[in-house]
Amino acid sequence: MANENLGVLNALDVAKTQWYHFTAIVIAGMGFFTDAYDLFCISLVTKLLGRIYYHVEGAPKPGSLPPNVAAAVNGVAFCGTLAGQLFFGWLGDKLGRKRVYGLTLLLMFICSVASGLSFGHSAKSVIATLCFFRFWLGFGIGGDYPLSATIMSEYANKKTRGAFIAAVFAMQGFGILGGGIVALIVSSAYEDKYHARAYKDDPVGSTVHQADYVWRIILMLGSVPAALTYYYRMKMPETARYTALVARNAKQAAADMSKVLQVDLESEQQKVEKFSQDPRNNYGLFTREFARRHGLHLIGTTTTWFLLDIAFYSQNLFQKDIFSAIEWIPAAEKMNAIEEVFKIARAQTIIALCSTVPGYWFTVATIDHLGRFFIQMMGFGMMSIFMFAIAIPYHHWKEHSKIGFVVMYSFTFFFANFGPNATTFIVPAEIFPARLRSTCHGISAAAGKAGAIVGAFGFLYAAQDPNKPDPGYKKGAGIGVKNALLVLGGINIAGMLFTLLVPEPKGRSLEELGGENMDETQTGEGREMQPPSLGPFGG
């Protein structure tokens, strides 16, 4: 604090890896498993929704969601997530991490179940109900981002803090994989029971009545991990950093962490009071002092996450080209409705298993050795290289080298996850002061979700062939997949540049990074407190 850090915080920083670390990873990580399952499972069932509710009598191809409906179904959860990140991030600093943590999970549980229900039987009523509950599902998911990251960073020791936060985020990969596996099981069970002919052979009979249960079951099963985790979240004690530095209750912080660490810790209320009376430790988010100390840091975390998510979510643009090119997914009219769900789930599960999940765990294994800065710069750089490598000879890959196309595509996913998709989540939980940590992480995450909306929908229009757009899109509005990929490569290069604004947190305490333990030997009597150094080599 004024002369040294609190003993309870020092104990957390130097604690050996213990059982409570893994418990915290599982409790926080299961939330992220649920987040990813709920966010990404919708892509497995949108084709089915189109067949069930937008069938056109006599059409040569199965029914599909109109562009505006598809945008709403896929994007409404992103909008809810963005709002939830801002709201719960702020609330986590005002009320405490634990008090808000269970609320987000409860909201996710209720809305997962409700997403599989509907009012009425018409397309409008079903889609309106689905969108309503997926917005609030996203709202709960949004709260999980800043709270999970902040709680894990405040529980971890400084030596392996990056790996612990990365492990929480890596559960997202298992959530994506879990969604694919559930869809495979449910669709294969229904296909075995209610086998139907392909659309080209029987347009009406290809979508059996029972197919309406398939998408509902897949969405509703996202509530299971949320329900299993709720009790354990409520049993977690509040983090010592919030209790001591924000709530200013040193006695409670010492008591909570004595149980967690299984050591006797002294209550140091005088240090807390001295810290709280220092005006240098009381500046708010919208102050000149915050701008001086952390303004560039916040610009760095928001812009890198925004740019990353444009590129990351835009990769879905050419997913359909890859799946059809290697014949993982036949033409829609050659399959029945449930079979199409199975084929889409199989393809996405293979991609998740081979590139998405390994990328996350490469980050977990190396982040505290290589550092956040190196992994983020490398990830952005390699994503640029592989996107340019796909885009420049784009037609060659599609027509002459299908396997090469898949390999290039998989590597872009791998280096997104062994790169900025993980580090943009980790760094904002480390570099801001405790009383603003959850808020700043929420702002950074919300910027990322804004990028996801741009990537998933802005580039969806941009990638349309100007001469032969997909049904429902205006002719001449797009620039084509090749040019869209070139733009995305440039966006990744911009991400590398903005990474220079973010400090390297590896091996440093949260209080040092947030400027909360600057003692008199560092600042000098009457001297102005200096912000943490910028760039990868600061500190």
Side-chain angles (χ1 to χ4, degrees):
M1 301 300 188
N3 292 308
E4 58 179 307
N5 210 1
L6 273 176
V8 64
L9 305 187
N10 283 329
L12 284 167
D13 278 339
V14 301
K16 293 181 179 179
T17 300
Q18 299 177 35
W19 181 248
Y20 84 88
H21 287 121
F22 296 107
T23 302
I25 289 171
V26 171
I27 294 171
M30 284 306 292
F32 260 86
F33 178 97
T34 306
D35 296 349
Y37 182 103
D38 290 333
L39 279 179
F40 291 95
C41 70
I42 193 67
S43 64
L44 301 170
V45 299
T46 50
K47 296 281 190 183
L48 180 60
L49 288 170
R51 284 187 182 241
I52 295 171
Y53 296 107
Y54 291 89
H55 171 72
V56 178
E57 194 69 36
K61 292 184 178 181
S64 60
L65 298 179
N68 61 328
V69 175
V73 169
N74 286 291
V76 70
F78 289 155
C79 297
T81 303
L82 189 154
Q85 286 163 337
L86 293 172
F87 177 73
F88 285 111
W90 168 78
L91 206 62
D93 284 333
K94 291 297 179 184
L95 300 182
R97 294 38 162 148
K98 179 189 173 180
R99 289 179 67 183
V100 184
Y101 207 28
L103 181 60
T104 62
L105 208 60
L106 193 61
L107 191 59
M108 288 156 58
F109 170 79
I110 293 170
C111 293
S112 289
V113 173
S115 293
L117 306 175
S118 63
F119 303 122
H121 301 284
S122 69
K124 283 187 177 181
S125 64
V126 171
I127 297 300
T129 305
L130 178 62
C131 288
F132 175 82
F133 286 114
R134 281 193 64 79
F135 174 86
W136 291 108
L137 174 65
F139 193 72
I141 290 170
D144 227 42
Y145 276 72
L147 293 170
S148 289
T150 299
I151 285 172
M152 198 64 245
S153 71
E154 293 182 346
Y155 265 106
N157 61 53
K158 64 182 180 181
K159 183 179 179 182
T160 57
R161 185 178 61 234
F164 289 157
I165 306 173
V168 170
F169 193 63
M171 293 298 288
Q172 190 177 80
F174 287 125
I176 297 170
L177 189 61
I181 292 171
V182 166
L184 286 173
I185 294 171
V186 173
S187 60
S188 62
Y190 270 79
E191 173 67 4
D192 184 61
K193 180 71 174 177
Y194 306 104
H195 185 69
R197 300 169 69 189
Y199 181 87
K200 64 183 179 63
D201 299 321
D202 185 359
V204 176
S206 67
T207 305
V208 296
H209 175 73
Q210 291 81 2
D212 193 51
Y213 293 108
V214 172
W215 69 270
R216 298 176 188 275
I217 292 171
I218 292 170
L219 295 188
M220 293 172 74
L221 284 175
S223 65
V224 174
L228 294 175
T229 312
Y230 181 79
Y231 170 79
Y232 297 100
R233 280 201 179 182
M234 293 297 92
K235 294 287 288 183
M236 289 180 74
E238 181 59 85
T239 71
R241 287 182 161 93
Y242 181 86
T243 305
L245 301 180
V246 184
R248 296 169 181 174
N249 187 338
K251 182 178 180 180
Q252 187 63 50
D256 288 341
M257 292 306 106
S258 292
K259 293 178 182 177
V260 169
L261 297 172
Q262 297 181 339
V263 295
D264 291 328
L265 295 169
E266 183 184 352
S267 173
E268 300 171 292
Q269 190 63 35
Q270 287 185 339
K271 286 185 179 180
V272 170
E273 291 174 358
K274 192 171 184 179
F275 170 82
S276 64
Q277 292 167 3
D278 191 332
R280 298 174 299 181
N281 297 318
N282 289 306
Y283 58 87
L285 180 65
F286 301 106
T287 61
R288 184 177 298 176
E289 185 66 11
F290 178 86
R292 188 183 69 81
R293 294 192 188 193
H294 298 291
L296 288 177
H297 297 166
L298 188 58
I299 291 172
T301 57
T302 53
T303 52
T304 52
W305 207 335
F306 175 78
L307 294 168
L308 174 275
D309 273 9
I310 292 177
F312 185 74
Y313 284 89
S314 294
Q315 289 181 101
N316 289 322
L317 294 175
F318 47 104
Q319 194 170 72
K320 66 180 187 300
D321 295 312
I322 291 170
F323 291 165
S324 59
I326 61 176
E327 297 178 350
W328 279 354
I329 301 179
E333 61 271 19
K334 296 180 180 179
M335 298 179 286
N336 66 49
I338 297 175
E339 182 185 3
E340 187 174 34
V341 174
F342 179 87
K343 294 288 178 65
I344 293 171
R346 184 182 65 180
Q348 294 196 14
T349 300
I350 292 171
I351 290 292
L353 193 61
C354 296
S355 63
T356 305
V357 172
Y360 282 118
W361 289 96
F362 264 76
T363 301
V364 174
T366 62
I367 191 165
D368 288 309
H369 303 285
L370 299 178
R372 290 69 159 156
F373 177 83
F374 176 84
I375 289 176
Q376 186 159 310
M377 290 289 279
M378 175 198 66
F380 270 128
M382 295 304 289
M383 286 173 70
S384 291
I385 290 171
F386 283 108
M387 282 188 174
F388 287 143
I390 292 173
I392 294 170
Y394 180 69
H395 298 292
H396 169 78
W397 291 122
K398 284 193 68 178
E399 296 171 11
H400 304 293
S401 183
K402 296 175 182 179
I403 298 300
F405 199 7
V406 175
V407 170
M408 290 292 181
Y409 176 72
S410 297
F411 271 119
T412 59
F413 258 116
F414 176 81
F415 282 107
N417 296 314
F418 181 34
N421 193 38
T423 54
T424 53
F425 173 81
I426 294 165
V427 173
E430 299 180 295
I431 64 175
F432 298 106
R435 67 189 176 282
L436 299 171
R437 185 170 293 132
S438 180
T439 300
C440 290
H441 193 286
I443 293 170
S444 303
K449 207 51 63 184
I453 293 169
V454 172
F457 306 109
F459 273 81
L460 186 63
Y461 283 85
Q464 294 299 316
D465 189 317
N467 299 314
K468 296 180 180 179
D470 290 340
Y473 294 94
K474 293 182 180 179
K475 192 173 182 179
I479 59 175
V481 173
K482 177 176 180 176
N483 291 328
L485 286 171
L486 292 172
V487 172
L488 291 175
I491 287 173
N492 287 322
I493 292 173
M496 296 175 69
L497 296 176
F498 280 102
T499 297
L500 297 172
L501 297 178
V502 183
E504 173 58 76
K506 182 181 74 171
R508 301 166 69 183
S509 74
L510 296 180
E511 288 66 51
E512 179 186 355
L513 289 160
E516 295 173 293
N517 69 343
M518 303 291 281
D519 62 28
E520 293 171 5
T521 62
Q522 291 170 289
T523 61
E525 253 336 281
R527 285 173 57 193
E528 192 174 33
M529 187 181 293
Q530 297 299 313
S533 302
L534 291 176
F537 308 110

